Amino acid sequence: MTDPSIRGPLPADPLIALRPWEAPEVTSWGRLPMNAVDRRPGALSLDGDWRFQLLPAPDGSLADWARIEVPGAWTMQGTDDLPQYTNFRMPWGEFPPASPAANPTGVYERDVDVPAEWAGRRIVLQVGAAESVLLVHVDGRPVGISKDSHLAAEFDLSEVARPGRRTTVRLTVVKWSDASHIEDQDQWWHGGITRSVLLYATDPLYLADVTVRTRLDGELRVDCQVRSSSGALPERWHVSGELDGQLLAQDAEFDRFNTADGRVSDFLGEARLATAVRDVRPWTAETPALYGLTVRLHRADGSVADTSYHRVGFREVEIRGRDLLVNGRRIYIRGINRHDFDPLTGRTVSYEDMRADLELLKRFGFNAIRTAHYPNDPTLLDLADELGFYVVDEANIEAHDHAHEIAEDPRYTSAFVDRVARMALRDKNHPSVVIWSLGNESDYGANHDAAAGWLRRHDPTRPLQYEGAAKLDWADTSVASDIACPMYAPIEDCVAHALSGTQTKPLIQCEYSHAMGNSNGTLADHWAAIESTPGLQGGFIWEFWDHGILQRVNDGRPAGRGGAGLYDNGVAAPGHRWAYGGDFGEAIHDGAFIADGVVFPDRTPKPVMYEHREIAAPVMLTNFEHEGPAIANRQHFRGLEWLAAEWELSLADGGTLTAPAELPDVGPGESATVPLPFALPDDAGEAWLTLRVTTADDEPWAPRGTVVCLPQVRLWAASDSGDDFEDEDVSQDVPAAGEPVDIDEDGLLVHPLLTAAPVLSLWRTPTDNDELGGAAVRRRAWGLDTLVREVVAVHRDGERSEMAVPGAEGRGSVTVLAEYDTRAGIVRHEQVFTRVEGGVLVEESAELPDGLDDVARVGSVFETVAGLDVLEWYGPGPWESYPDRCAGAPVGHHCLPVDELFTPYLRPQESGGRHGVRQFTLSAPDATGLSVALDEPRQVSVTRYRAEDLAAATHHDELVPRPGCVVHIDAAHRGLGTASCGPDTSPEYLIDTGTHRWSWTLRVL
C-alpha cells in the first residue's frame, strides 16, 4: 500500500511521464469498453471521505494530506482553486492541444477492503466522471488513463486488487488538458471527481454488453455480447431472458447466419433473443409505458453467471420528409437545454435533485430535454424513461474557441469518435433517447463525419443532429445532420424556410428563447408560428438553470454543501449571494451570461415557466359559441381522462363564479363544445372564462390536484358587446366641487399618500437583453437615465397649452407643462390634474421626438408612503408579465404582498411588471390606502426599488428596499425580446415616437 505520509516528488510514473494531458491522440489506456450493462445495483460504493491534496501541476510534489468529499468538485470544497466561468473563451491562452504550466492536479486516495467473497471474480473500478484527465493507480501500480469529463471510466483491477485484503486506490485528476479544448462549454470550469465511484465484481464469464431494439408492433430483439476474463469462452454458455414474465426465445436464424458466415468467435460471444408482445403499450413522452427486461447469462450447467436488468419502452422514431415522427405521429418538441448543475456542489447531482428537475419540467409543459452539452448523469435518462421525455443525447464535444481548427485536426479524430461512440454505447437502450447529437458549436469538419459514420453504423434506429453541420444550409442533405437545428434563428426566417419549397428535413431549433434575466419575450409568438406552419416542430429553450453558485459574501468562497437551506424562493440568505462570472476573482470571465435559465439556482420557477405552461397546455379553450366554449385536446397520444377541471368566471366588478367542469371525451387533436353550468350575468362589464385544469389523480411527476394549465377566453369586453376591450374613459369622472388640486411651486402634485409626485418616466433599469443587445447603450447616450425635468408652464382652469388634453378646460383643472432635454431632442410632457369625486384625475401626454425611436417605456412614476404593503389588481396575473410575455398570466382579480411582486433576477434589472392592468389598489393592514383606475389596460409595476437602485446593484444582496412603493404606470412599455443571445422583440412591441396619451384616477381608500 502507499504510505499516506509520503512527501516529496511523486515516484517515477509512466502515466505522468506520458503527459497524456497534452496528447489528444490518447483518449484512454487500460480503460474497459463502454457498455449498457448497469452495474450500479449491488456495487460497493467508494463515495465519501477521501485523502486529498491539490498540486500546482501534474508533476508537483506531494505534501500533507487533507480530506475531501467524493463525488464533488474540489473547486467547491475549500481549495484555493475556485470556479471560473467563461462562455466560449478558453480560460488560458495556450493553443490546442497545449495546456498551461499552472495546471491544478488533484490526488485522491482511499483504502478499500476488498470483500473476501470476491475471490476468483473479476473486479472492476468505475469512476463516474473526472474533469478532465483521470490517472488510476492501485497499490502504487499504474492501471489506466481516461478522458471525457462526463462519461464513466471502468478499469479491471483483478490483477492488482486482492480479495480479503486492503487495497489503496489513487485517482489523480488533471484539470487542464488537450481535452479541455473540446470541453469548452458555456458553464463553470471545475476540477475533480464529480460522479460516484464504485467497485463491483462479476463472474469470470460475464455480459459485456446488451443491446435492446423494439418496434411499435411489439417486436423485441435483444443482442448480447459475452466475454470471459480468461480470454477464451467456455463451452456451452447460453443466455435467456424474460419480459415481465414473458420468456424470450433464442433467435435460431441469427445463430445459423453467424455459423454460416464464419462469425463465431472464441473470445467474443454473441447471442440474440426475441419475442413479440401482444397488445403492446407504446412508450411516448405522454404515455411512458415501460416493461421490465431481465437477461441472464448461463454456464454450461445452467447456473446463472451474470444478470442484466433493463426497462424497455416500445417506440419507433423516424424522419419522413420534413417531419420527425414518434410512433408514426408528428410531434412538437417543447424542449429545454439542461446542464448537470447544483449551486452547492457544482456538477454533482443526486437522484432526488434530478427527479425534482424533471418533475418540475413536466408540470410546466416541457416534453423534451437536450443534454447540453454532454451526456448527463445516467440517472437522468432512467428518470426520462420513467416520467416521459424525448431526449437529444449530446456528445461531450465543444471546441468553441478553436472550432474550425479542431474540427479538421486529425489529432482529435479519435477523441471525436470515442466520445460519440461511448455515449451511444451507454445510452442506446433508453426509449427516451430519440436523437443523437454530435456535440455543440465546434464548426464542422472531417472529425464530425468520422463520428457520424460510426454512429450511423452502430445505431440506424435514431436520427442524428448537429447544428454546425446544417448552419450554412438548412436544406443540405449531404451533411451529418438529419435535422435542421439552428440556434436563435428569427422565427420569420424559420417560417420563410418552411414555406420556401426547399425544406428537406425537420426544423427544430437546438437553442432558442435565451432566458437570461428578464427575458423570453415573443415566446408565444414563436409557438403561434410553429403551430401554424408545417415543417416547424419546436425547439429547446436555452436553458433550464441559472448557474448561480451560492457564495459567502464575507470571504468570497463557495458555500459548498454547508450552504444547504440557505436560500428560498430564488433568493440567497443574508450573508450569501448567487455568484456569477468574475465573482471569484477571475481575470477572464463572461459575467452574468451564466445566469440564463428558466429557474433560479434553487429551482424556483421564473415567470417564463408559467408562460410556457400555457403555451404547451394539453387543453385549449377556443372561441365561445352559443352552445358554450370549445375544449380542444392538444396532445399527440393521450386523451383527457387523466385531467380534472373547474370553471372560473372572473368579472370586472369583482365577482367570481366557479363550477365543476366535465372534460369531453376527445382524442388527440380533437375538440368538442361543452355547455356552461351557470348562467352568465347580463351586466357585469368585462368578463373572462378560465378553465382550471388539474391532475385528476396522482401522476409520477405531480400529486392529484396539481395545476396543469389555465386556458382562458374573454366572453365580452367592458362594453358588454363582446367586441374588443374599450377604454375606460376616466376623463369622464365628474369634477368635484371643493378645494382645487394641490400643486406645488415645481408643478408637482401634492398628495398625502405620495412621497414623490408622478413625473414622466422613459427609462427602465436595463434588462440583460437591453444591455447585451445594445439598446441600453443607445438610451444612455440619449441621456434617458439622467433626465432632468424643467417646468415650462403651469396653467389654471381656462388656460390652454399647445398639447392640452381634449376637454380639459372648464373643469377646474391644473395643467403642468414640462420638458426633458435629451441628446435626441426635447421631450414635452403635459399633465392635467382635475379634482374628481374621491380623488384626482391625472391626464397625461408625452411627445417623443423622432430621434427617440426605441425607448423602454413612456409613463408615470411616483412613490407612496410606507405601510401600503398589499397590491390588489384586476388584469393578468398573478405572475410578472410584459407586453411580449403575457400568455401565461390569466386575467382576473389578484392580490399579493408588494415584496412578492419583485422578481429577484441574479443581476438586478427591470422586474415585477404586470401587463394589461385595468385597476389596482395599494393598502395597509387597516384597509387604508389608495386606488388607481386606468383609462385602458396598462403596464404597471409596484416594487420597493427605483430604477437607479437596481442599476447600482450587481447582486440582489446589495439592494436596500425603500419603505414605500415605487409605482410605474406605463402608457407604453417595450417588449423584452431575447437580444442577449438571439432576436430582439418583434416590431409590434417597440414604442413609436410621437405623442402618447394616458390617464388615471387616484383615490384614497
Side-chain angles (χ1 to χ4, degrees):
M1 292 185 292
T2 302
D3 183 352
S5 65
I6 189 171
R7 298 190 181 198
L10 289 171
D13 183 340
L15 302 189
I16 296 292
L18 181 62
R19 298 182 65 83
W21 53 90
E22 293 187 338
E25 302 88 345
V26 177
T27 60
S28 67
W29 173 77
R31 187 180 68 193
L32 296 174
M34 183 64 80
N35 61 82
V37 180
D38 186 1
R39 301 294 184 180
R40 289 171 293 178
L44 175 65
S45 173
L46 301 187
D47 290 351
D49 191 51
W50 286 60
R51 296 186 294 273
F52 177 77
Q53 48 188 294
L54 185 62
L55 308 181
D59 54 359
S61 296
L62 291 172
D64 295 328
W65 292 95
R67 313 298 295 186
I68 199 167
E69 185 78 10
V70 172
W74 70 61
T75 44
M76 301 291 289
Q77 297 193 62
T79 71
D80 290 332
D81 184 33
L82 297 174
Q84 181 174 2
Y85 166 63
T86 61
N87 174 15
F88 62 86
R89 295 180 292 172
M90 291 300 293
W92 28 267
E94 284 77 4
F95 299 136
S99 54
N103 192 352
T105 299
V107 182
Y108 298 77
E109 274 195 359
R110 70 163 290 169
D111 300 326
V112 181
D113 293 320
V114 182
E117 58 267 27
W118 286 5
R121 295 174 67 78
R122 170 177 166 264
I123 300 173
V124 178
L125 172 72
Q126 183 186 100
V127 181
E131 186 176 348
S132 69
V133 178
L134 173 67
L135 313 177
V136 180
H137 297 78
V138 174
D139 288 341
R141 297 173 58 180
V143 171
I145 299 170
S146 181
K147 296 177 186 176
D148 194 328
S149 298
H150 299 283
L151 283 176
E154 293 190 340
F155 304 91
D156 192 333
L157 305 189
S158 304
E159 298 298 318
V160 292
R162 297 185 179 183
R165 297 185 62 179
R166 178 164 290 185
T167 293
T168 298
V169 176
R170 172 179 287 182
L171 305 177
T172 301
V173 181
V174 183
K175 181 175 182 178
W176 304 124
S177 70
D178 57 87
S180 302
H181 291 285
I182 56 172
E183 296 181 352
D184 181 19
Q185 289 122 348
D186 178 11
Q187 60 175 336
W188 291 100
W189 292 98
H190 288 290
I193 299 169
T194 56
R195 294 182 190 159
S196 290
V197 181
L198 55 87
L199 198 66
Y200 68 86
T202 73
D203 191 87
L205 180 67
Y206 62 93
L207 288 165
D209 201 6
V210 174
T211 301
V212 179
R213 298 273 172 84
T214 64
R215 288 171 52 95
L216 188 57
D217 61 7
E219 287 189 15
L220 172 67
R221 191 184 87 186
V222 181
D223 288 312
C224 305
Q225 289 189 344
V226 177
R227 292 187 184 272
S228 172
S229 57
S230 63
L233 291 168
E235 297 291 331
R236 293 185 295 123
W237 63 267
H238 59 281
V239 296
S240 67
E242 60 178 279
L243 185 77
D244 284 350
Q246 179 176 333
L247 296 179
L248 277 64
Q250 295 279 349
D251 190 331
E253 180 58 34
F254 176 80
D255 294 339
R256 282 193 295 269
F257 172 80
N258 282 349
T259 301
D261 201 45
R263 296 178 58 87
V264 178
S265 171
D266 294 329
F267 62 89
L268 175 62
E270 295 180 289
R272 178 172 292 174
L273 303 171
T275 193
V277 179
R278 296 182 60 184
D279 300 321
V280 69
R281 291 174 289 116
W283 186 98
T284 72
E286 295 171 12
T287 58
L290 294 171
Y291 294 75
L293 169 67
T294 302
V295 177
R296 299 182 178 90
L297 171 62
H298 301 269
R299 305 180 186 90
D301 62 2
S303 60
V304 176
D306 201 3
T307 302
S308 183
Y309 179 77
H310 304 263
R311 293 192 301 179
V312 175
F314 287 82
R315 65 106 184 90
E316 294 181 8
V317 181
E318 64 175 314
I319 291 177
R320 189 180 302 163
R322 58 181 186 171
D323 293 327
L324 173 69
L325 307 180
V326 173
N327 296 343
R329 296 189 185 180
R330 185 177 187 269
I331 62 168
Y332 286 123
I333 296 294
R334 303 184 186 275
I336 194 79
N337 283 274
R338 180 193 175 276
H339 280 282
D340 281 343
F341 170 76
D342 184 276
L344 307 181
T345 64
R347 300 209 206 294
T348 301
V349 288
S350 67
Y351 169 88
E352 293 77 15
D353 287 334
M354 286 180 277
R355 187 173 190 101
D357 290 353
L358 269 59
E359 288 179 354
L360 187 71
L361 288 169
K362 289 289 286 191
R363 293 178 188 184
F364 283 90
F366 290 91
N367 70 356
I369 295 170
R370 177 180 176 228
T371 65
H373 296 295
Y374 45 80
N376 285 184
D377 187 292
T379 299
L380 185 93
L381 295 183
D382 296 336
L383 290 166
D385 293 342
E386 174 189 340
L387 299 177
F389 284 91
Y390 304 117
V391 174
V392 173
D393 204 1
E394 187 151 282
N396 184 23
I397 300 171
E398 181 170 341
H400 204 147
D401 201 11
H402 305 292
H404 75 276
E405 299 98 325
I406 289 177
E408 298 284 358
D409 190 337
R411 294 174 296 177
Y412 277 94
T413 302
S414 58
F416 275 59
V417 176
D418 180 70
R419 288 164 183 250
V420 169
R422 295 181 74 238
M423 170 188 69
L425 287 166
R426 188 193 77 167
D427 299 339
K428 59 191 173 184
N429 294 336
H430 288 279
S432 58
V433 177
V434 296
I435 299 169
W436 301 117
S437 169
L438 300 179
N440 186 63
E441 293 181 312
S442 301
D443 206 84
Y444 180 48
N447 291 337
H448 293 98
D449 286 336
W454 187 96
L455 190 56
R456 291 191 191 281
R457 171 68 179 178
H458 179 75
D459 181 18
T461 69
R462 294 177 175 93
L464 64 86
Q465 72 173 48
Y466 175 56
E467 180 268 342
K471 67 180 181 179
L472 297 180
D473 183 355
W474 294 348
D476 190 346
T477 58
S478 67
V479 297
S481 187
D482 302 318
I483 295 168
C485 48
M487 291 181 175
Y488 310 110
I491 191 62
E492 298 82 4
D493 292 358
C494 296
V495 171
H497 177 68
L499 299 179
S500 68
T502 63
Q503 185 178 6
T504 60
K505 58 185 74 172
L507 198 159
I508 302 169
Q509 294 211 57
C510 68
E511 296 176 21
Y512 81 110
S513 195
H514 194 252
M516 185 178 182
N518 193 357
S519 187
N520 303 99
T522 71
L523 183 60
D525 302 75
H526 269 68
W527 273 96
I530 290 167
E531 293 180 355
S532 61
T533 309
L536 306 185
Q537 284 189 255
F540 296 83
I541 290 174
W542 186 267
E543 63 164 310
F544 182 54
W545 286 108
D546 268 1
H547 292 232
I549 290 176
L550 188 66
Q551 182 186 42
R552 296 190 297 266
V553 175
N554 61 352
D555 63 4
R557 290 183 169 270
R561 288 182 168 92
L566 295 178
Y567 41 76
D568 185 47
N569 289 323
V571 178
H576 297 78
R577 67 179 184 180
W578 300 123
Y580 50 75
D583 286 340
F584 294 109
E586 318 98 290
I588 300 174
H589 66 84
D590 287 304
F593 207 71
I594 193 71
D596 51 5
V598 295
V599 301
F600 289 102
D602 64 350
R603 205 180 289 107
T604 297
K606 290 183 182 179
V608 66
M609 290 286 274
Y610 298 94
E611 183 87 350
H612 187 273
R613 189 179 71 180
E614 295 310 312
I615 292 169
V619 178
M620 181 179 181
L621 288 182
T622 58
N623 292 334
F624 189 86
E625 306 293 344
H626 293 295
E627 298 83 6
I631 296 178
N633 179 355
R634 302 175 71 226
Q635 301 171 105
H636 300 112
F637 300 97
R638 199 176 189 185
L640 302 182
E641 65 281 351
W642 64 285
L643 299 170
E646 180 184 58
W647 292 113
E648 294 181 0
L649 181 63
S650 179
L651 305 173
D653 64 4
T656 300
L657 303 177
T658 63
E662 183 174 340
L663 296 175
D665 182 13
V666 291
E670 298 177 347
S671 63
T673 300
V674 297
L676 284 179
F678 44 62
L680 299 178
D682 295 327
D683 188 22
E686 184 183 15
W688 291 80
L689 180 66
T690 304
L691 186 64
R692 182 181 179 85
V693 181
T694 62
T695 52
D697 297 296
D698 289 346
E699 293 286 327
W701 45 270
R704 177 182 180 182
T706 298
V707 174
V708 175
C709 57
L710 298 168
Q712 185 179 67
V713 292
R714 187 176 63 187
L715 298 186
W716 53 74
S719 65
D720 294 339
S721 65
D723 298 329
D724 291 340
F725 182 89
E726 293 187 358
D727 302 348
E728 180 183 349
D729 191 358
V730 297
S731 66
Q732 297 306 307
D733 283 343
V734 178
E739 295 294 324
V741 177
D742 191 358
I743 302 296
D744 70 11
E745 60 185 11
D746 294 320
L748 297 172
L749 175 68
V750 177
H751 192 282
L753 294 182
L754 302 188
T755 59
V759 295
L760 180 67
S761 176
L762 302 177
W763 172 257
R764 71 182 180 197
T765 308
T767 65
D768 290 316
N769 291 327
D770 291 339
E771 290 285 14
L772 297 179
V777 174
R778 295 193 301 275
R779 294 169 196 157
R780 287 192 188 96
W782 292 331
L784 300 189
D785 58 331
T786 56
L787 287 180
V788 176
R789 177 177 178 269
E790 181 181 345
V791 178
V792 175
V794 176
H795 300 285
R796 301 294 172 177
D797 187 34
E799 300 175 306
R800 183 176 178 85
S801 72
E802 295 178 20
M803 295 175 59
V805 174
E809 65 277 3
R811 298 185 297 165
S813 303
V814 179
T815 300
V816 179
L817 180 62
E819 291 184 347
Y820 298 80
D821 191 5
T822 78
R823 296 182 183 91
I826 298 293
V827 177
R828 304 179 69 196
H829 177 223
E830 183 181 82
Q831 295 174 301
V832 179
F833 301 99
T834 305
R835 180 75 66 183
V836 294
E837 188 67 34
V840 178
L841 168 65
V842 185
E843 299 167 282
E844 306 192 59
S845 64
E847 186 179 293
L848 273 59
D850 291 343
L852 292 181
D853 58 355
D854 187 19
V855 299
R857 61 167 24 120
V858 178
S860 315
V861 60
F862 59 87
E863 297 179 25
T864 74
V865 297
L868 306 183
D869 297 332
V870 175
L871 178 74
E872 297 182 64
W873 75 98
Y874 180 57
W879 305 284
E880 175 191 270
S881 57
Y882 284 82
D884 60 351
R885 199 194 68 214
C886 58
V891 174
H893 297 276
H894 306 287
C895 179
L896 282 175
V898 169
D899 291 337
E900 295 182 16
L901 297 169
F902 180 74
T903 305
Y905 297 109
L906 264 64
R907 189 190 66 77
Q909 56 196 274
E910 163 65 30
S911 165
R914 266 61 181 177
H915 178 65
V917 174
R918 280 77 164 155
Q919 59 194 38
F920 65 90
T921 64
L922 272 168
S923 61
D926 62 0
T928 61
L930 60 82
S931 71
V932 173
L934 301 162
D935 59 339
E936 63 177 272
R938 300 291 189 184
Q939 184 80 19
V940 171
S941 73
V942 181
T943 72
R944 301 291 190 191
Y945 308 106
R946 294 176 180 170
E948 55 264 34
D949 298 337
L950 299 173
T954 61
H955 294 78
H956 189 270
D957 67 295
E958 299 169 10
L959 293 172
V960 178
R962 293 180 179 273
C965 299
V966 179
V967 182
H968 281 272
I969 299 172
D970 293 332
H973 196 101
R974 188 191 194 275
L976 300 169
T978 60
S980 59
C981 187
D984 201 348
T985 193
S986 299
E988 60 264 36
Y989 303 114
L990 300 178
I991 296 177
D992 293 331
T993 58
T995 301
H996 296 262
R997 300 185 188 278
W998 66 105
S999 58
W1000 47 285
T1001 302
L1002 173 66
R1003 289 186 169 92
V1004 177
L1005 294 178

